[in-house]
Amino acid sequence: LKFAGRVRDDKFRHVRLTFSDGSSQELELKNNAQLNEYALTPTTTTSVRITCVSCWNTSHPNRGAQEIELWGSDAPPLVMGQLVEGQPVVGMEDGNAGKLATATSLPLIEIVEELKRELGVSGNVAQVLPFACEQLGIDPKNKSLSQLGRECYHELYHGR
């Protein structure tokens, strides 16, 4: 696992990785903004949920990561993206790991601009994403705007 905390003083300290096989591992992350590498016990999985257990500084409410990389053995990255605190890393449920890198390499605002162009809609992020979900048959319940954007992008350009 490679993990880069945010630049400001709002970095995760302890995280729990929960794998699709039900196993989990906990790590203490370094208190810096560099892309640090952490050893994990090898696990066969199709998805990983990363949960913040504690933070280095609790005075900032906007916590997260700049970059996360999760690698398989002798394979390209399985996951690259931005962490939404308390939300699972998504996109690998059906073996769609290759699709995830495309959407997460784009900022959410660019994904929304693509959706506006392709679906012929206007508005802000919070207006466009629910419309896009409805048009593309995506259930928006219990998902962050970032997750909705990625799922809409995948459906629009790659289908499920």
Side-chain angles (χ1 to χ4, degrees):
L1 169 74
K2 289 186 179 181
F3 191 99
R6 292 206 173 168
V7 176
R8 297 183 348 178
D9 288 335
D10 49 1
K11 296 171 198 66
F12 294 163
R13 182 173 184 167
H14 293 99
V15 296
R16 180 181 309 110
L17 287 77
T18 306
F19 302 94
S20 61
D21 68 357
S23 67
S24 64
Q25 298 179 38
E26 292 201 13
L27 297 172
E28 181 172 8
L29 304 177
K30 295 180 181 175
N31 189 14
N32 63 44
Q34 298 171 354
L35 186 61
N36 298 294
E37 190 166 338
Y38 302 91
L40 296 175
T41 302
T43 303
T44 300
T45 189
T46 57
S47 64
V48 180
R49 175 185 295 240
I50 300 175
T51 305
C52 175
V53 177
S54 67
C55 297
W56 285 100
N57 181 341
T58 58
S59 65
H60 295 283
N62 186 17
R63 296 179 190 96
Q66 308 183 63
E67 184 174 349
I68 301 170
E69 296 182 16
L70 185 62
W71 297 75
S73 60
D74 299 317
L78 296 175
V79 177
M80 295 182 71
Q82 293 182 351
L83 178 67
V84 177
E85 182 177 357
Q87 297 294 321
V89 177
V90 299
M92 293 175 50
E93 300 84 14
D94 299 318
N96 293 328
K99 295 179 188 176
L100 182 61
T102 304
T104 57
S105 63
L106 293 174
L108 179 59
I109 195 67
E110 288 182 29
I111 291 173
V112 170
E113 290 302 317
E114 286 286 317
L115 293 169
K116 286 177 169 180
R117 186 176 57 77
E118 291 293 328
L119 299 175
V121 66
S122 62
N124 62 32
V125 172
Q127 295 166 331
V128 170
L129 288 176
F131 175 82
C133 286
E134 182 179 329
Q135 296 298 307
L136 298 168
I138 294 170
D139 181 8
K141 292 179 186 159
N142 300 319
K143 296 177 183 170
S144 68
L145 291 176
S146 181
Q147 286 174 296
L148 293 176
R150 288 192 304 266
E151 288 185 31
C152 287
Y153 184 92
H154 289 325
E155 182 64 26
L156 186 63
Y157 290 108
H158 304 287
R160 291 186 192 197

